[in-house]
Every structure is written in structure tokens, then in C-alpha cells.
Amino acid sequence: MVDLKQMERVGIQLVRPDGHLTETGRDVWERMPEDRKRAFYQWMVQVRLFDRRSVTLQRQGRIGTYAPMEGQEAAQVGSALALGKEDWIFPSYREHGVAMVAGMPLDRILLYWMGRVEGNRAPEGVRVLPPYVPIATQIPQAMGAAWAAKMKREPSVAVAYFGDGATSEGDFHEACNFAGVFRLPVVFFCQNNHYAISVPFSRQSAVPTVAERASAYAIRGIQVDGNDVLAVYTAMEEAVRRGKNGEGATLIEAVTYRRGAHTTADDATRYREDSEVREWTEEKDPIARYERLLMEEGLLTPDRARKWEQRCRETVEAAVKEAEAAPAPPPSHLFAHVYKDLPPELVRQRRQLTGGDETHA
Amino acid sequence: MPEMTLVQAINEGIRFSLELDPSVVVLGEDVGKNGGVFRTTEGLWDTFGDERVIDTPLAEAGIIGASIGMAVNGLRPIAEIQFMGFIYPGFEQIVTHAARLRTRTQGQYPASLVVRVPYGGGIRAPELHSDSTESLFVHIPGLKVVVPSTPYDAKGLLLAAVRDPDPVIYLEPMKIYRAFRGEVPDREYEVPLGCARQVREGEDVTLIAWGAMVPLAEQAARILAKKGISCDLIDLRSLYPLDEKTIIGSVKKTGRAVIVHEAPKTAGLGAELTALIDEHAFLWLEAPVTRVTGFDVPVPMFALEDDFRPNLCRIEEAVDQVINF
């Protein structure tokens, strides 16, 4: 359970914004395999470049309205890397980083933002649900999936990803409450990026942290610096371990910042000060601090960083090409999966749409 | 063959489902130790234990949301919402997720689950306990909606609903939970979704009803028969999908139709049935399709519920009207 006295506003931090490890951070670091240390960096760069490219694609009219996640790379990559293939992910619409790490192909993520349902479907063995658009509705479902895992005696957790705005919804409360009552292996992962579109966290909650709400449900609550990939990973790893050990649910609050607008249809300058954005961009950037750490530890050179960036750009471009080359779905696909077997009225409506041409049905 | 009430037959259906399929779980408020406020789940908690017959916190969105998550992860949940008037906090989970998860994931996660809901009036229940908002659910693509009106159908429809690959809203007419007994086979059987029941054969007018309106329409048909009017009575059983063949076939035979439902008139299911008949049997009609429904007012407190709900007199009047058009 959360210890309010020990909890600082910024939460647990293992890598300081200047790239230096804290004392505990050093311990964690020493025990961490090298490929994992690299994976944090590689994924964060990949995710950021994908995100920036997506914003450009939207401006060019090549994808629809897009929800940028720049600034939240550490929260997403750090948490997703702590999950196994057996774990379930119930994301919101800003979790492209999580989805990518979990195995969602980049071109499918792009297809989603091109308004295509194919982008919702994860490959076989990738337990990522489609983005949940109505706020907080994924949280009770993650709780239910975790419940099923518990009943089936399967060692897996379900993770609900959501933002600070979602904590005002009843669904958040109901899910936390069930999870506490039934001691379910679920992780509630809140990226507190400070704004629900334009409304600041102070308008969502009179208590200063999301994490402390956990005590009301007798689940574990923990606040981490969401821009510290090592801290996020460590918190998530522990939450997953506890879940699988039958120790119940954890509410993780990753304190981070949505650097861009809510979506490409939003103008964040209407409600945020430049100085605030600058502070989070220049002083608290999740990638810059980790890059510094890796370089100091001799795991990264500027040259290798450039090469990796180049490779990521190529990966993104290949995904863009793939997504844009995907053949348009036939109109009959409207009816493809509404029911397992189409009722007569829907068969008629499909015929009406296709003019009787059922070849692509 | 054992005779039982509707509520006992539903209990039997749930019991069989739990016995036959280890992935079936029952969850809801008071469904466990208490056996449900209507005793629909009586004895199931004792037999199947706390892990499969689960008393949940009092939270409809939580119950339905959890059920969807369970279905995603391989269980077959039967969720109970205590009264239809209380389902609305869970409505979002039904409409935005249960109904369209199959479409949204291209068949990957079909959200196969059953939501059981006692509905309708006529039992002098407290305020806001007597809603009949079935058309809200019928309107949502991706859902199926069924209503039994006999003990036989109650068990068979429940077994079919639990095995159905799509999410099913299973409505239970409270008024006739214990109104009569009927034969219910002590074995596994299904009443298929999408099939209406021909309750009574007649030549002059088609009566269409479901739930607690079926016995009322049956009574009306008996009275009308004495006056020389023979009614073809159809119990829809399945509100979505509709058994178009039976409905249209009957109207083509009789040339007249009266639809009886206790939900308010405007945009009720009667409107959809009227359009269906219009589209498929217009040239066979001898009179406009007529509706006998609840009035377009909020469901009243019980002092006035008999005035709100369709009754014999109103059904007879409507039949007279279509016969003498």
C-alpha cells in the first residue's frame, strides 16, 4: 500500500534529469542486462520518430486526426518492456509506443489513424486490444481479463493504460474497487501528462496525486517519474511480479508531460504557457537524459545514436509505404464482423450496398 | 416432465450452462448467497461456489466491463443487472464495447457474453424498477436481444444465449416470473435465437407480442375468438434478429396486424415491426398496422401502472379497429 510520507511529488526516480543515476538507480542499473539498457533507448527513439512522422503525415493529409505522444516515451516504453507475451494490454488512443513494443506492427498503427479497422487487429499472440476511445472504459475490462486469468490460474496480468483525465470517470473507480475486493492481477497504469485536452490535473482531482487514491481500494499505489524509463520499468516489473504472485493490483502513476497537443485537431497554445512546455522539453526530456546516461556508461556513442536514428527512420518509412500500399477495403467489409452470422436484414442491406456483387463479401 | 415457473426455468438454464461449460461464470449484485433478489440464481452459489457465482460490488459498468474483459480472456460470463432501470451505468460498456468489439477487432474478440435483465412492469415495484427499454438495445448493431414468455423457452433461450457467439441481452419479464407453470424438460436443449413462436393460429388478424404481453394477448385472443374473430398470435421471443419469415407469413395470411408492447410507443419496437410489415407485405394489408403500447410518458409509479400498460380492453379495441377499417 502507498506510503504517503515517502512519496515525493515527482515520484520514484532512478535517473535524474541530468542523466545521473540515483543511489538506488545505480543498484538497479548494475543488475540490468545490457541489451535491456539498449532496448529502452532504441524503442524510445523509434517511438518518437514514428510519432513525429505521424504528425507530419496528418499535416500532409495522409492520415486522419492523430493523437501525438511525444514526451511520454519513457512511460510507454519502460512499462511495456516489463510485460511478457502472456500479459494483456488495454490501451487508450495515445499508446502507440506501448503497442509497438508489445509487437503491434507500425503499419497497422498507421492504418488505424488512416481510419481503417485493420489497424485494430493485433497479430496472433500479441495481446493488445484496440485503442479505447471513450475515456476509462478499458479499465474495467482489463480488470475483467485479469479476473479471468486468476480464475484460470494463468500467470498473467492485464494492464489498463489511461491518462489523468480518466481517473475522474466512474469506470476507473469501479475497476480499482473490484480489483481491491477480488485481489486481481491487474495493473492500472496512469500516465499523468497533466492535461485532459485543456483541463489541468488540478481540475480533475483535489488530492495532489493519482497514486494516493490506491489506498482507498486497498491496492498498491506508486508514483514514478514517468520520464525516467528505468524507474517506470522497475515499478512496472514489480507490479507485474506482484500480480502474478497473487499479491493483487497496483496503481502506477507515471508523471510525464504531453509535449504536443491533445490531437492534431487541438491547439495547445490556448491553454498552456510556453515556459511550461519548454521546461518539460529542455530540462525533463525522457530520451535526452537516458542518452546522456548511456553515453556516460559507454553504451552509446554519438555515431551509433545517429545510425540508430537512421535505422528507425527507415523502419518508419517502410511502414508508411506498407500502410499506404494497403488495398482499399471493399465496401462489403462494413458487414464482415458485425455478427458471426449475418441476420437476414443485414444480408439485404449488404446486397443493397454491393448491388448483389458478393464476391468480396 | 417437470413443471416449473419462468424463474425456475431460468435458474435451470443457468445451472445447465454452469454444469456443461466450465468457462461459464455468473456475476452480479446479490446473485450469490442470496440467490438473486428474484431468486433466479437460487442454489447456484451453493453448488458452484464463490468463484463461479460471484456477488460483485454494486456497480453496473464494473459488472458489464468486467464481463467483457472476461470474455476477451476466454470465459463465458452471464452478468445479471438487477433491474432494467439500473442498467444505464453499464449501457456505455454494452454500446461502445460489447456490441462492437467483434467488428472492431475483425472477429478476433467477439465479446460472447449474456446480460440478464429483469424488465417491465406490473408487479407494483418501487419507482424506476419497471422500465421496458428493449428498443434501446435492439437499435444497437452487434447485439442480440431475446425475451422468453414461457418456462420452456426461458431455459432453452438461456442455453442458446450462453453458447451464442454474439453478445446477447436476455430480458426477463418480471410480471410472469411466477405467474404460471409450464413443462420444462430435464435435459439440455436450445431454443434458437431469431425464431418466433406461433402461440395460436388464426385467420383474421395477427397479434404480435413478447414477454409479459404474450399471456395478455393470448387472453385477448380467447375473448376475441368468442366474438368470432380468430387471431394468429406470435410471440417474438427474439427481438433481434427478428423472425421475419414468421411475421410476414402471418400478416400475408391475415392482412391485419396489431402489435402489443409495454414500452412507450414512439420509436418502440412496434415502429420497426410496422415498417417491416410495410416493406414486405404492403399489398396484403387490409388495414394499417396498429400498435397497443405504453404511453409516451415516463414509466409511472405503480399507482398508475395499470393505466400505463396495455390491457385487454385496449387490445380488443385495436383489433376491432383493424377488422372494421
Side-chain angles (χ1 to χ4, degrees):
Chain A
M1 217 170 304
V2 69
D3 182 345
L4 289 178
K5 278 190 219 110
Q6 278 183 6
M7 207 164 61
E8 300 165 48
R9 241 356 129 61
V10 67
I12 293 164
Q13 200 174 63
L14 300 179
V15 185
R16 295 201 187 91
D18 62 6
H20 290 112
L21 289 162
T22 64
E23 208 174 305
T24 322
R26 176 56 67 187
D27 288 347
V28 172
W29 186 254
E30 299 302 335
R31 280 184 277 119
M32 179 88 52
E34 222 165 79
D35 56 346
R36 174 114 306 166
K37 292 173 182 168
R38 287 211 178 84
F40 290 142
Y41 173 76
Q42 290 171 337
W43 275 115
M44 286 198 291
V45 172
Q46 177 71 84
V47 166
R48 175 167 295 183
L49 291 174
F50 174 88
D51 188 68
R52 287 187 178 167
R53 185 74 179 111
S54 299
V55 173
T56 310
L57 290 172
Q58 190 281 331
R59 298 299 185 223
Q60 294 169 340
R62 291 158 75 182
I63 64 173
T65 300
Y66 173 77
M69 51 74 69
E70 181 164 343
Q72 301 179 209
E73 295 88 349
Q76 298 200 8
V77 169
S79 59
L81 277 172
L83 300 174
K85 282 278 173 213
E86 68 281 9
D87 300 321
W88 294 87
I89 292 170
F90 288 74
S92 88
Y93 47 76
R94 205 187 300 287
E95 258 77 74
H96 337 307
V98 175
M100 264 181 242
V101 174
M104 193 72 168
L106 273 61
D107 60 293
R108 276 201 216 181
I109 301 174
L110 285 169
L111 281 175
Y112 178 80
W113 296 100
M114 289 172 167
R116 296 187 51 170
V117 73
E118 297 91 325
N120 270 334
R121 196 190 162 107
E124 212 51 53
V126 175
R127 291 179 159 183
V128 180
L129 275 286
Y132 279 63
V133 179
I135 303 302
T137 53
Q138 72 275 29
I139 311 178
Q141 294 184 30
M143 173 270 287
W147 205 344
K150 184 180 177 177
M151 284 185 208
K152 294 192 288 180
R153 316 280 188 270
E154 283 173 7
S156 84
V157 299
V159 187
Y161 279 92
F162 51 94
D164 42 305
T167 64
S168 300
E169 293 275 9
D171 276 7
F172 165 73
H173 157 72
E174 294 187 22
C176 288
N177 191 41
F178 274 65
V181 169
F182 295 102
R183 223 175 158 77
L184 302 177
V186 57
V187 183
F188 303 114
F189 191 88
C190 176
Q191 289 165 83
N192 182 349
N193 67 14
H194 291 80
Y195 289 90
I197 304 189
S198 69
V199 179
F201 183 61
S202 57
R203 275 289 166 101
Q204 303 296 342
S205 170
V207 291
T209 74
V210 171
E212 68 196 85
R213 295 187 172 203
S215 62
Y217 309 106
I219 62 176
R220 192 158 182 272
I222 182 167
Q223 192 190 46
V224 295
D225 179 345
N227 283 8
D228 172 355
V229 72
L230 202 59
V232 173
Y233 176 82
T234 306
M236 190 62 146
E237 201 186 30
E238 197 196 349
V240 170
R241 187 178 47 73
R242 288 173 58 95
K244 289 177 184 172
N245 281 348
E247 291 170 69
T250 304
L251 168 61
I252 297 175
E253 176 186 11
V255 181
T256 181
Y257 196 76
R258 185 193 79 211
R259 199 176 286 179
H262 162 64
T263 66
T264 49
D266 171 43
D267 173 9
T269 62
R270 294 170 66 87
Y271 51 83
R272 292 195 311 204
E273 296 299 327
D274 282 350
S275 57
E276 182 186 289
V277 182
R278 235 188 346 265
E279 184 194 325
W280 281 93
T281 310
E282 291 167 10
E283 292 163 34
K284 297 180 185 169
D285 183 65
I287 299 183
R289 86 165 76 166
Y290 195 67
E291 207 170 55
R292 248 174 265 146
L293 173 67
L294 284 184
M295 288 195 183
E296 266 176 38
E297 296 289 322
L299 292 174
L300 186 70
T301 62
D303 185 48
R304 279 170 74 179
R306 262 194 310 277
K307 280 192 180 131
W308 178 251
E309 271 190 35
Q310 187 50 38
R311 207 168 132 194
C312 290
R313 275 183 225 285
E314 285 163 14
T315 307
V316 173
E317 284 322 303
V320 174
K321 206 174 268 181
E322 174 104 20
E324 289 189 329
S332 61
H333 272 204
L334 270 184
F335 297 92
H337 298 288
V338 184
Y339 294 93
K340 178 139 193 311
D341 301 305
L342 280 193
E345 173 62 27
L346 276 188
V347 172
R348 275 198 301 275
Q349 291 182 18
R350 185 177 64 185
R351 205 175 301 131
Q352 201 180 1
L353 178 79
T354 60
D357 176 14
E358 305 276 304
T359 46
H360 297 292
Chain B
M1 207 182 290
E3 292 221 329
M4 53 181 79
T5 61
L6 194 89
V7 82
Q8 288 168 326
I10 295 169
N11 181 283
E12 276 285 296
I14 303 171
R15 179 184 296 280
F16 267 75
S17 300
L18 282 161
E19 267 168 15
L20 293 166
D21 182 351
S23 69
V24 171
V25 293
V26 172
L27 67 162
E29 297 154 14
D30 305 295
V31 299
K33 197 171 183 181
N34 192 36
V37 292
F38 289 102
R39 307 289 173 261
T40 319
T41 52
E42 178 136 56
L44 302 178
W45 183 79
D46 305 283
T47 309
F48 299 97
D50 205 38
E51 228 190 21
R52 292 188 71 198
V53 182
I54 310 159
D55 275 327
T56 66
L58 206 164
E60 289 77 10
I63 292 167
I64 295 170
S67 300
I68 297 169
M70 287 174 170
V72 165
N73 198 358
L75 299 186
R76 284 271 173 164
I78 305 175
E80 176 179 311
I81 298 298
Q82 208 154 67
F83 290 88
M84 200 161 200
F86 308 154
I87 199 171
Y88 311 115
F91 194 57
E92 181 183 31
Q93 288 290 343
I94 294 174
V95 175
T96 55
H97 298 299
R100 51 187 119 191
L101 203 53
R102 177 187 285 280
T103 293
R104 294 188 68 227
T105 61
Q106 298 189 295
Q108 197 172 19
Y109 297 113
S112 314
L113 56 91
V114 177
V115 182
R116 293 181 34 243
V117 199
Y119 90 108
I123 61 161
R124 300 291 182 261
E127 193 181 14
L128 291 158
H129 283 64
S130 304
D131 273 17
S132 184
T133 46
E134 62 270 30
S135 63
L136 295 181
F137 300 91
V138 173
H139 187 65
I140 304 300
L143 298 179
K144 291 177 178 170
V145 184
V146 298
V147 189
S149 79
T150 67
Y152 179 90
D153 287 349
K155 178 176 170 183
L157 270 178
L158 195 106
L159 280 162
V162 172
R163 286 177 197 161
D164 198 88
D166 300 305
V168 181
I169 309 295
Y170 181 98
L171 300 176
E172 302 173 3
M174 297 186 289
K175 168 80 174 163
I176 55 171
Y177 259 155
R178 294 180 170 79
F180 47 85
R181 287 171 183 274
E183 288 191 338
V184 177
D186 185 25
R187 60 174 165 82
E188 179 192 346
Y189 66 93
E190 287 185 25
V191 170
L193 277 66
C195 294
R197 179 172 67 99
Q198 183 87 41
V199 183
R200 197 183 162 101
E201 303 238 3
E203 304 297 324
D204 301 325
V205 58
T206 298
L207 289 182
I208 302 172
W210 55 93
M213 293 296 106
V214 173
L216 187 72
E218 223 175 334
Q219 209 183 334
R222 279 196 298 271
I223 294 167
L224 288 160
K226 283 181 196 150
K227 292 207 253 169
I229 298 167
S230 82
C231 297
D232 212 45
L233 173 57
I234 297 167
D235 171 5
L236 281 187
R237 293 198 294 203
S238 177
L239 307 188
Y240 195 93
L242 287 170
D243 183 349
E244 298 176 357
K245 215 174 142 202
T246 300
I247 298 164
I248 301 305
S250 170
V251 175
K252 282 184 178 174
K253 178 174 69 175
T254 63
R256 295 174 171 89
V258 170
I259 300 154
V260 187
H261 63 64
E262 57 181 301
K265 183 177 184 182
T266 300
L269 190 57
E272 185 59 41
L273 290 162
T274 306
L276 182 82
I277 293 165
D278 194 43
E279 282 166 24
H280 297 277
F282 182 69
L283 294 176
W284 281 264
L285 286 177
E286 303 285 348
V289 178
T290 299
R291 289 173 282 172
V292 179
T293 70
F295 296 106
D296 285 352
V297 300
V299 178
M301 289 179 71
F302 66 78
L304 288 176
E305 75 173 339
D306 293 341
D307 299 287
F308 169 78
R309 303 173 82 241
N311 54 33
L312 285 175
C313 184
R314 286 171 61 198
I315 297 173
E316 283 174 60
E317 268 174 31
V319 169
D320 276 347
Q321 212 179 311
V322 295
I323 295 283
N324 302 313
F325 180 73

